[in-house]
Amino acid sequence: SYELTQPPSVSVSPGQTASIPCSGDKLNYKYTSWYQQKPGQSPVLVTYQDNKRPSGIPERFSGSSSGNTATLTISGTQAMDEADYYCQTWDSSAGVFGAGTKVTVL
Amino acid sequence: QVQLVESGGGVVQPGTSLRLSCAAAAITLRSYAMHWVRQAPGKGLEWVAVISDDGINKYYAGSVKGRFTISRDNSKNTVYLQMDSLSAEDTAVYYCAKDGVGVLGHFDSWGQGALVTVSS
């Protein structure tokens, strides 16, 4: 079955840039979405179709995809961005999530 | 502001059934495909199923295929997840989510989740 691989954790200092990779076979031929989930809350869509941002999501969140890797970048990371982040795509009409990356703002 | 509200969760014994509902406010669900996504305690997100806006096309995760059935009643603005032959591995918070673009798109609105606990 198709798999998406994310690092379990990423640490970043306030104001710096956090990059979260998500790798999967031929991922650049598929659309990737990213979701933010804070403890006790429902997930929130932060980017979709690789690099689009929903209304209401801050510009510091951006997505990209190249080769087998999609990347969520948080520029000028703030304390409020501390959360779990999940990438997601589709394979053979089945949804696939990465295992999630915990972003810690130190 | 789209509001999705799940209901029907609870504690059930292994081998039994449960039906979850997802009702919408401030939006007409008939125009959108809808998904169920679950999250086991302390674990990541797992996509479960999707149903097209007209209810014709349905797709399932391999882990639930043959046991779970997704359906919708557009006249009631509600989507359902019928879960049969439940096991402990189905214990999770179940979220309904609206598709933002089609049937296999992105999840642009989520409910608050319904907890299902399968335990003897």
Side-chain angles (χ1 to χ4, degrees), chain B residues 24-119:
Chain B
I27 188 173
T28 302
L29 287 187
R30 70 172 69 246
S31 301
Y32 302 99
M34 294 294 295
H35 302 262
W36 288 95
V37 177
R38 68 184 181 182
Q39 186 169 35
K43 303 297 184 181
L45 301 172
E46 179 186 15
W47 175 81
V48 173
V50 61
I51 186 168
S52 59
D53 55 354
D54 58 8
I56 293 176
N57 295 305
K58 305 174 185 181
Y59 301 103
Y60 298 91
S63 58
V64 306
K65 199 167 187 178
R67 300 188 300 121
F68 289 13
T69 302
I70 190 171
S71 62
R72 66 192 301 157
D73 186 340
N74 285 339
S75 68
K76 295 182 178 180
N77 218 28
T78 300
V79 178
Y80 304 98
L81 185 68
Q82 176 67 40
M83 303 183 292
D84 298 325
S85 302
L86 286 163
S87 70
E89 288 68 38
D90 297 314
T91 293
V93 173
Y94 285 75
Y95 297 100
C96 67
K98 168 184 157 296
D99 198 295
V101 68
V103 176
L104 304 181
H106 49 275
F107 316 122
D108 66 356
S109 297
W110 297 66
Q112 87 287 351
L115 177 60
V116 174
T117 303
V118 184
S119 174

Side-chain angles (χ1 to χ4, degrees), chain A residues 33 35 37 42-43 48 90 95 97, chain B residues 39 47 95 104-107 111:
Chain A
S33 304
Y35 301 87
Q37 187 180 33
S42 301
Y48 65 99
W90 295 93
F97 281 98
Chain B
Q39 186 169 35
W47 175 81
Y95 297 100
L104 304 181
H106 49 275
F107 316 122

